[in-house]
Structure formats: C-alpha cells, structure tokens
Amino acid sequence: MTVPHPESVDASGTPVRPPARGASPWHGQGPVVAMVSLGGALGATARYGAGRVWPTEAGAFPWTTFAINGVGCAVIGVFMVLITDAWAAHRLVRPFFGTGVLGGFTTFSTYAVDVRTLVGAGHPATALGYLVATPCTALAAVWLGAGATRRALARRRR
C-alpha cells in the first residue's frame, strides 16, 4: 500500500493530480535540429573550401565571400520555388538544405567582418562598395533564381 504525499491530496484527503504539462516546444524537433546541424556542417565546409581555393588578399575586395553569398542566394531562390511550386518535399528537406546547407554556405557574418577589416586596413571606399553591393547582389540573386525557375517550370508544363 502506498501513502499519498501531502502535496498530492487536498484538505479532505482526496488525491489531487498535478496539472498536465503542456507539450515542450522542443517535442519532435530533434530530427529538425539534427538536419539543420548536418546541413550547416556541410555548407560551412563547402564555404571554407571555397575560401581556401580562392583566398582574398588583405585589403582587396573579398570576391570569394561575395560570390559565395551571391551563388548561395540564387540557389535559395531556385530551391524555394521548387519546394513550394513543383515538388512536395519531405518535412526535413527545407531544414536540411535551405536552413542548414545554404545557411551554412552563405556567410553574412563574414561579410560584416570583411567590411570592418577593410575599414580598419584603410580601405573605406572598398568597404563601402562591398557593404552596398553584397545585399543588393544577394536580393537580386534570390529574385533572379526564383524568377528563372518559375519560367522554366511554366515552359515545362506547356
């Protein structure tokens, strides 16, 4: 026989159940977190490799980071159209590829560091050009990638 704990009975001695806990916001998110992590590791490794193959000289326009961000944003535009308009993707595809791989590949934190480094090295005009050109190129790349994909899908459906 078990004896109820004092906090689990009311004043009349009737057992009281604790209120049911709501579902944790993390419940069921393990696979998503794992896919974002795996994709991020792959994307960051690819970005690191590109930086090693095409290094940027100190004080020069950071073309490698600029190209990585432009290409990554174009692929994001293509990918988002494909998974929303053309393909019923598994629920883990977007976290893996969109958030993980492409999020790890594109590098807007390095962009910010590059701007600061250029200013600190006495190249404010290059820093300003890079500061303006990168987000403009990134937005244009997403728009062009998405638009080209939509046109290609429309031609294919005819």
Side-chain angles (χ1 to χ4, degrees), residues 121-151:
H123 303 283
T126 304
L128 181 61
Y130 182 54
L131 181 70
V132 171
T134 295
C136 291
T137 299
L139 291 171
V142 171
W143 182 75
L144 290 169
T149 305
R150 282 192 182 99
R151 283 189 300 281

Side-chain angles (χ1 to χ4, degrees), residues 10-158:
D10 65 11
S12 67
T14 306
V16 176
R17 292 187 177 191
R21 290 186 358 185
S24 165
W26 288 97
H27 180 74
Q29 294 300 310
V32 174
V33 172
M35 289 295 101
V36 170
S37 300
L38 178 61
L42 293 172
T45 301
R47 179 186 72 231
Y48 175 77
R52 299 289 293 176
V53 171
W54 299 290
T56 300
E57 294 180 28
F61 189 90
W63 287 107
T64 303
T65 303
F66 184 77
I68 285 169
N69 287 335
V71 168
C73 287
V75 174
I76 287 170
V78 170
F79 175 68
M80 291 309 292
V81 169
L82 289 177
I83 66 169
T84 57
D85 295 358
W87 177 42
H90 185 276
R91 74 179 189 92
L92 296 177
V93 170
R94 188 183 300 194
F96 171 74
F97 191 72
T99 305
V101 173
L102 294 174
F105 182 67
T106 56
T107 174
F108 287 89
S109 59
T110 300
Y111 152 72
V113 170
D114 287 344
V115 169
R116 184 174 181 207
T117 301
L118 286 166
V119 169
H123 303 283
T126 304
L128 181 61
Y130 182 54
L131 181 70
V132 171
T134 295
C136 291
T137 299
L139 291 171
V142 171
W143 182 75
L144 290 169
T149 305
R150 282 192 182 99
R151 283 189 300 281
L153 289 173
R155 262 187 255 121
R156 193 171 172 199
R157 289 178 183 148
R158 286 187 226 168

